[in-house]
Amino acid sequence: MQHILIIEDERAIAELERDYLESHGYQVHIEGRGDIGLKKALDGQYDLIILDVMLPKMDGFEICREIRQQHNVPILMVTSKKEDIDKIRGLGLGADDYITKPFSPSELVARVKAHLSRYERLTSNKDSHNDFIQIRGLCIDRPARRVTIHDEEAMLTSKEYDLLLLLASHPNRVFDKMELFERIWGLDSNGDTATVTVHIRRLREKIEHDPSNPQYIETVWGVGYRFKV
Ligand code: CA
């Protein structure tokens, strides 16, 4: 059975979410305070976290950042404010998805299901040959060689696409620039690791909300890059 933690101070909303999730076979725990919620989330016994933004003691942004530094667990953020959405998308907090209040419980259940199965795929088979790779709003459609960010198409060149696909197919694995160059361009081609740097920069301009604060392709200083999950 999969365990879900709801961090939400509005009891009525939390209980509504819990009832729906339980009726779909999930085991649910509710925590009303931000600081305690974070502690529970870091215990590592939950398969997914539903995290409200406005919370007493510690807000959802901070909690999300802290969880993400230690855990790969899917995080679904809940907010009632439109202004929060840009923050969730742009800050590189590492949230997988967000949902705005009011939402229908069935929509919540559908998102929870989708993220749980995506994480299962990612963690059980990192070299999987799935047709789609979906991570925090970014979707790679392999058969079509097409990339969308929050349903908007990113127009990538062939090399940019190959680079993104290689990184995203091996989430959290660090690639050094020479390896990327060899695998994408081939040893015999003209160019060097600076080519990789240039392509990563262009790729970020196309897929990142804020290229100077990337939430997908992370620079590992002195080494290379990795696709963050
Ligand atoms: Ca709240």
Side-chain angles (χ1 to χ4, degrees), residues 76-210:
L76 179 55
M77 294 197 76
V78 178
T79 179
S80 45
K81 287 198 293 182
K82 273 223 165 84
E83 309 90 86
D84 288 342
I85 296 170
D86 273 349
K87 222 171 161 184
I88 294 168
R89 280 162 69 162
L91 276 184
L93 296 171
D96 292 85
D97 202 356
Y98 58 88
I99 192 165
T100 49
K101 292 179 191 171
F103 52 81
S104 75
S106 57
E107 190 188 351
L108 178 77
V109 171
R111 303 263 190 115
V112 164
K113 250 187 209 163
H115 286 289
L116 282 171
S117 59
R118 182 174 57 79
Y119 262 69
E120 222 160 66
R121 280 200 311 274
L122 274 178
T123 49
S124 65
N125 186 4
K126 293 195 165 152
D127 270 316
S128 69
H129 294 284
N130 291 313
D131 284 351
F132 292 91
I133 297 176
Q134 286 178 285
I135 297 163
R136 294 192 305 277
L138 177 137
C139 176
I140 305 176
D141 176 348
R142 300 166 77 134
R145 288 178 62 88
R146 191 168 172 267
V147 174
T148 54
I149 310 290
H150 297 290
D151 296 326
E152 269 178 52
E153 184 162 8
M155 304 304 288
L156 304 185
T157 65
S158 171
K159 293 294 186 217
E160 287 162 0
Y161 175 85
D162 291 342
L163 199 52
L164 177 63
L165 180 63
L166 176 61
L167 290 165
S169 305
H170 302 82
N172 287 337
R173 189 193 142 182
V174 180
F175 286 87
D176 68 39
K177 290 180 188 175
M178 187 45 92
E179 183 179 3
L180 289 173
F181 183 73
E182 286 175 14
R183 290 182 69 159
I184 305 295
W185 282 269
L187 264 182
D188 301 331
S189 53
N190 293 320
D192 53 33
T193 55
T195 312
V196 177
T197 314
V198 169
H199 277 76
I200 291 279
R201 195 180 66 227
R202 289 191 193 137
L203 186 55
R204 280 180 176 152
E205 281 164 5
K206 293 178 182 180
I207 66 169
E208 300 282 359
H209 179 82
D210 175 6

Side-chain angles (χ1 to χ4, degrees), residues 8-10 52 54-55 101:
E8 166 70 81
D9 58 324
E10 285 168 80
D52 188 40
M54 293 279 287
L55 289 164
K101 292 179 191 171

